[in-house]
Amino acid sequence: MYDPHCGFLDDLLVVEIGDRIAAGACGGLLAQLGARVVVVEPAARSTSGKWRNRGAMMAGKLSVVLDVDSDRTLRDDLLARADVVLLSSDCGDRASGAWARAAGANQVVVDITAFGRADQDRGRCVSEEIIQALGGVIDTTGPAEDAPAIVGPPVLEMTTAVSAAAAVLLALRVRRVHGRGQCIDMSILDGAVSCLSNFLALHFGGIRASRSGNRHPIYAPWGSHGARDGHLLLCAVSDDQFARLCGAIGEPTLARDPRFSSSPLRRQHVDELERIISAWTASRTVAECEQAMIHAGVPCGPIVTLDRLEHEPNLVHRQTLRRLHDPEARTSARVSASPIRGTPLSGLNPTRISSPGEDRARVLEILAARPQPRAHTLSEEDCSRVEALAGVRVVEIGHYTVAPLASRYMGAFGADVIKVEPPQGDAIRQGAPRVANGVSYIFAFSNTDKRGLVLDLRQERDRGRLHRLLEQADLLIENLRPGTLDKLGFGPGVLHQRYPRLVYCAITGFGSDSTYRDRPALDTVIQAMSGLMSLTCVDGMPLKAGISASDVTGGLFGLLASLAGIEYRDRTGQAPHFDISMQDASVWLTQMHWSGASRSTARLVQAQDGYVVVRGEASIVEARMAMLPATAERSQVVAALSAFGLEAAPVLTVAEVVDAPRTAARQLIVECPVQDDGTWRVQGCPLRLCSTPPRVRSVLSRLGSNDEQVIDELKLDGHPASLRAR
């Protein structure tokens, strides 16, 4: 019988050793999914990495203080009985490499490092800011005609944590089905490159890919504007939205002005257009501006600061933020509720923060009652031929990048992904830039390893086809506006009644259960309303991350929830339904700043050929830079600063990232065929399971080209003769 307090990962034991933020955040996600996570805390703990905010990183976990040399009995017992060992072997405890080597063949060992195990810089511990520089993220952030900017929160560490947790679920599935564990090699730099989709599309389309501040490289108006009491972010992605914006600010004739009659023309005259809008916002409060734009149906949102997160109406409604007593700090600590919300599961949010070493006796009890993982049954050679999601069918009804990101990763691991599109196709098929035959680069990046199916769900025949498709599916994932599928007869209640084994995952800007249910949401708006933008400022102006951080994080949480739901369904017979909010997920990204820990000492310095990021006290950096000639190039600046023990790296452009040797070595960009014509350079998958790796094999073909084959194979015009065995 179903236990409402049962987690997705009950009976799973995770041992967390790594000091990286990504290791701590990954362990936190696994704990929120129901695993017992035991954190090995060193007797002498640093104040860097995940320990900068111990309260947030330890919520919901068990703590043991352990000297790996003198307390070997407990160390060996933990290792022998763990299902998952979570490391960051390049930072913190150097003995963690020995833990990885000692793991059994049936255990899952996750090593999250900056560069990955096979890289020339393997074992080199570098900070988030260095990875942002080498991964092109800094070059995409900041004003177009000014210096780039470092993204404030550790978005790369945090998004890699979600990817790593998803990789753990994939590896556990392989172990459950085939009886063998494996290592997972997670590189944070891989994750950085995977976040560059929009900029890679521009690059491969022959357009210089660089930063645009809070503006959009294609649409206008799109940006932040000062009000009497703060800043407002607003966007218009169509001529109709622009016309409604003009009406809202009392300037309806602007929509007919020849300077602003199309998005390219608005981009050309964007400075003048923004002056007009800013003059209107400057005389009003943020709330007044926001209400006018919402009434007009224009995407917008206030730029929320961290101190206001606990009062943001939708976050309050969804109980996204909680307070727990932190015994070490002797005060309450702000912690994040699980961004994975769903029914019928509950009780997955953290309820306590342990003192260092507090749980030793409890851990000993757990180990005493726990057998060692069983011996493996599959050889390494046979395991390499396994696809982690073979036999799983995914139906995606998604636009743009969020749900499509989750399903393309599942396709890379062998799932049969069927992308359902309306007759006009996914809106992003029309996204610029496009090749000569009209195919969009960003569409190609978002839609690898899928089959397409065009359905007009306003028509009874096509609704019947979707029903017959869902009869044969394991997962439906979508990112439509809340209530859209419900109006078409495919709401959660109908799905649960007709398809009790179908896992359903909805990803929306603010959640299906939301005070903003009907409010349009875009990545930049979510960045503004989650605290992300407030952590990256230039001259007092909050800036969005250049990468689509909220889109990426929403897609990754959709992936993690979907994998957890399928595993839970297979174990219990109960198929969860998920309500993923991009705002919840983006707030989760900011948690390392909740404790009031000091900001990074990283800064940018200019060289003859670009910029260099360096960590260190400003006075020291300035003194070293004064010793260099004004003509010094990035490589010379990095060498000079590194010689004095400062951590430094060149800020690479997107083009330089594409051409970097490690990009090819790590298969971060691969060439694969379009299903009906030619080849494309597309992104690889950063979830590196060593024994059952992902394989990116094809790009989705032109609209409608798969219809006949899919309809015939799955008998969508008649009830299938038999459903696939689960």
Side-chain angles (χ1 to χ4, degrees):
M1 181 176 291
Y2 166 69
D3 176 359
H5 298 292
C6 174
F8 297 94
L9 302 180
D10 275 11
D11 300 324
L12 192 79
L13 179 61
V14 178
V15 176
E16 178 190 316
I17 306 165
D19 282 357
R20 275 197 174 277
I21 292 169
C26 179
L29 292 172
L30 297 176
Q32 290 177 349
L33 290 173
R36 284 192 177 113
V37 179
V38 177
V39 180
V40 177
E41 297 199 56
R45 197 176 67 228
S46 73
T47 57
S48 61
K50 70 185 182 186
W51 305 117
R52 282 171 43 200
N53 188 351
R54 182 186 179 277
M57 291 287 103
M58 287 299 299
K61 303 176 185 177
L62 301 172
S63 170
V64 293
V65 174
L66 176 63
D67 185 301
V68 295
D69 294 319
S70 62
D71 206 347
R72 293 185 178 181
T73 300
L74 179 54
R75 180 199 70 178
D76 293 346
D77 212 17
L78 275 170
L79 184 59
R81 287 168 170 75
D83 297 289
V84 179
V85 179
L86 184 53
L87 310 169
S88 54
S89 63
D90 62 342
C91 293
D93 184 3
R94 293 295 177 179
S96 62
W99 289 65
R101 290 189 294 273
N106 200 43
Q107 292 170 304
V108 175
V109 179
V110 191
D111 196 4
I112 306 175
T113 60
F115 302 107
R117 291 185 170 189
D119 192 88
Q120 62 183 7
D121 287 320
R122 171 184 178 179
R124 179 184 166 207
C125 182
V126 300
S127 64
E128 162 88 14
E129 296 87 353
I130 297 296
I131 304 170
Q132 285 189 25
L134 297 174
V137 173
I138 290 178
D139 187 60
T140 67
T141 304
E145 304 302 328
D146 206 341
I150 300 168
V151 180
V155 292
L156 301 182
E157 292 258 7
M158 298 297 284
T159 52
T160 300
V162 192
S163 297
V168 167
L169 295 188
L170 288 164
L172 289 172
R173 180 179 178 85
V174 171
R175 189 182 75 159
R176 176 174 62 79
V177 175
H178 300 286
R180 186 180 180 95
Q182 59 183 299
C183 70
I184 299 172
D185 174 20
M186 294 298 301
S187 158
I188 302 172
L189 185 60
D190 288 4
V193 179
S194 73
C195 289
L196 294 177
S197 299
N198 293 341
F199 294 93
L200 291 173
L202 294 172
H203 173 78
F204 288 126
I207 300 173
R208 182 176 179 270
S210 189
R211 55 195 174 272
S212 57
N214 287 335
R215 293 172 174 172
H216 192 280
I218 299 172
Y219 304 111
W222 187 300
S224 55
H225 300 269
R228 290 209 311 255
D229 57 347
H231 292 89
L232 178 83
L233 194 288
L234 60 84
C235 315
V237 297
S238 67
D239 292 342
D240 177 62
Q241 281 186 349
F242 176 63
R244 284 185 267 126
L245 184 152
C246 293
I249 66 173
E251 298 279 357
T253 58
L254 282 180
R256 300 187 297 273
D257 190 311
R259 296 170 298 171
F260 309 132
S261 59
S262 68
S263 194
L265 288 170
R266 291 193 289 274
R267 283 284 301 155
Q268 184 177 341
H269 299 281
V270 67
D271 290 338
E272 186 172 354
L273 181 57
E274 287 185 347
R275 281 195 294 271
I276 296 170
I277 297 172
S278 292
W280 179 82
T281 61
S283 64
R284 291 162 175 81
T285 66
V286 169
E288 290 169 343
C289 297
E290 184 183 16
Q291 283 305 116
M293 292 299 152
I294 291 172
H295 182 73
V298 176
C300 70
I303 298 178
V304 180
T305 56
L306 290 192
D307 62 311
R308 297 298 302 168
L309 284 179
E310 287 182 291
H311 307 286
E312 203 286 320
N314 195 52
L315 299 179
V316 172
H317 174 79
R318 290 179 63 84
Q319 298 183 320
T320 301
L321 296 168
R322 302 184 176 211
R323 290 271 179 181
L324 296 178
H325 177 67
D326 185 346
E328 186 178 54
R330 298 182 180 179
T331 186
S332 66
R334 186 190 301 178
V335 300
S336 173
S338 174
I340 297 178
R341 310 288 179 88
T343 57
L345 291 166
S346 62
L348 297 178
N349 293 313
T351 58
R352 65 187 284 267
I353 300 171
S354 299
S355 300
E358 176 184 353
D359 302 303
R360 186 182 184 96
R362 175 64 181 139
V363 169
L364 290 172
E365 290 177 5
I366 293 171
L367 295 176
R370 185 177 183 83
Q372 294 188 21
R374 67 186 187 279
H376 63 277
T377 58
L378 192 70
S379 70
E380 178 69 22
E381 181 180 356
D382 289 339
C383 192
S384 67
R385 292 191 285 269
V386 166
E387 291 186 304
L389 293 177
V392 172
R393 179 162 292 142
V394 176
V395 177
E396 174 216 308
I397 307 179
H399 287 271
Y400 298 103
T401 57
V402 183
L405 181 150
S407 59
R408 76 176 170 91
Y409 283 177
M410 287 185 270
F413 284 97
D416 178 21
V417 179
I418 298 175
K419 181 182 180 73
V420 174
E421 298 183 72
Q424 66 272 26
D426 181 341
I428 206 172
R429 280 186 181 269
Q430 306 306 315
R434 286 177 273 175
V435 294
N437 64 3
V439 178
S440 164
Y441 275 95
I442 188 61
F443 177 84
F445 288 155
S446 297
N447 292 283
T448 50
D449 301 308
K450 304 175 185 180
R451 297 190 286 171
L453 176 64
V454 175
L455 295 178
D456 184 349
L457 296 180
R458 297 168 299 179
Q459 304 298 321
E460 184 177 352
R461 183 191 67 169
D462 281 0
R463 290 196 298 271
R465 285 173 168 173
L466 180 57
H467 276 300
R468 284 184 283 275
L469 176 59
L470 295 177
E471 287 177 350
Q472 305 171 73
D474 297 281
L475 168 70
L476 169 61
I477 185 167
E478 55 102 347
N479 67 315
L480 306 179
R481 185 174 291 195
T484 300
L485 285 183
D486 208 342
K487 294 176 184 176
L488 295 167
F490 295 91
V494 173
L495 296 176
H496 178 71
Q497 183 178 15
R498 294 188 62 161
Y499 316 114
R501 290 183 58 81
L502 178 71
V503 177
Y504 170 56
C505 182
I507 314 169
T508 58
F510 301 103
S512 299
D513 175 18
S514 169
T515 59
Y516 306 141
R517 182 176 170 84
D518 298 322
R519 186 169 179 165
L522 300 168
D523 172 84
T524 311
V525 173
I526 302 298
Q527 286 199 40
M529 296 180 68
S530 62
L532 273 177
M533 282 184 65
S534 71
L535 292 171
T536 305
C537 290
V538 171
D539 297 330
M541 173 61 74
L543 283 175
K544 68 180 178 69
I547 58 173
S548 299
S550 294
D551 280 350
V552 169
T553 309
L556 289 175
F557 269 107
L559 172 67
L560 180 59
S562 298
L563 295 174
I566 291 170
E567 287 304 292
Y568 185 83
R569 189 276 313 270
D570 288 353
R571 191 176 81 243
T572 69
Q574 298 281 335
H577 287 190
F578 295 104
D579 170 20
I580 304 297
S581 156
M582 291 164 57
Q583 187 187 30
D584 287 350
S586 300
V587 168
W588 180 87
L589 292 178
T590 69
Q591 62 187 279
M592 290 309 296
H593 293 267
W594 294 350
S595 66
S598 60
R599 297 287 180 91
S600 168
T601 60
R603 57 179 302 183
L604 296 175
V605 295
Q606 191 165 11
Q608 179 70 20
D609 59 342
Y611 292 87
V612 168
V613 65
V614 55
R615 280 169 55 92
E617 293 300 326
S619 58
I620 299 175
V621 173
E622 289 170 5
R624 302 309 177 198
M625 287 298 297
M627 300 169 64
L628 294 172
T631 56
E633 297 186 343
R634 287 174 297 174
S635 59
Q636 296 169 295
V637 173
V638 170
L641 295 173
S642 300
F644 288 103
L646 297 171
E647 187 181 17
V651 173
L652 299 187
T653 65
V654 172
E656 288 172 329
V657 171
V658 170
D659 294 335
R662 60 168 43 103
T663 299
R666 298 284 295 180
Q667 295 184 306
L668 302 179
I669 296 174
V670 297
E671 188 164 307
C672 65
V674 179
Q675 292 169 4
D676 51 7
D677 181 35
T679 61
W680 285 76
R681 294 181 74 188
V682 294
Q683 291 177 287
C685 177
L687 281 64
R688 297 304 179 91
L689 278 67
C690 298
S691 299
T692 57
R695 297 179 176 91
V696 178
R697 287 159 287 204
S698 67
V699 175
L700 185 61
S701 54
R702 68 185 185 277
L703 185 67
S705 62
N706 297 141
D707 287 7
E708 184 176 340
Q709 181 245 343
V710 172
I711 291 170
D712 181 65
E713 176 191 329
L714 302 181
K715 298 180 173 59
L716 300 186
D717 282 337
H719 195 81
S722 62
L723 300 183
R724 295 176 303 110
R726 296 286 194 249

